Amino acid sequence: MTDALPTYALWLIAAMAFLGYVLGSVPFGLLLTNLAGAGDLRKIGSGNIGATNVLRTGRKDLAAATLALDAAKGMLAVVTAWIMTPPDFSDYTSTVAAIAAVIGHCYPIFLGFRGGKGVATGLGVMLALSPLTGLAGCAVWLGVARLTRISSAGALSAFIAMPVVILALYGFSFQTSPKPLATVLISLLVLARHHENIGRILSGTEPRVGEKKR
């Protein structure tokens, strides 16, 4: 990889960032619940558009579909960027698309920039960027969530673990690959979006899976 990217590479990076953001902005949870007649997701539970809040509608099928589609849109953003750009800078376009997709989910243009917390989309982009890291994140998320029955605890644990895993894989120099830096940035965003959950976990008031939000 040369020190200076050619002009067309910068345009491709910008285009993939735009594509990632638009894909990330698609609110599958809201669309599915509206189509299924389950009500306006923004007026249910936490008002979040993610799978955990969809589960509060009582529709496990819709929650599972939301989880899968939110992860898939993140994976699609990364894979599309990887395919559409030359190998010498595809790592850069794919990581930019990954970050943009998570930002899009958290701050979707279609919903006045009020979106979800980025967990499923974040796991989706990580599965595409670094499959081992993504699988480790999924394992930690499922394990902690099952042990504690607190979905947010699983998510927080996963996004704390993934930067550690990818740094172990790629080393501590961000010059080797942009993927570790992207993982850290995505994880920080997801953790920041969970600041209220962190407060409730510490106070012991965070609802468990199957309970209504207090």
Side-chain angles (χ1 to χ4, degrees), residues 26-47:
V26 179
F28 283 114
L30 183 62
L31 293 173
L32 290 174
T33 50
N34 281 340
L35 288 172
D40 188 340
L41 193 59
R42 293 168 294 183
K43 299 178 181 178
I44 297 171
S46 65

Side-chain angles (χ1 to χ4, degrees), residues 127-139:
L127 285 168
L129 276 181
S130 173
L132 285 176
T133 304
L135 288 171
C138 290

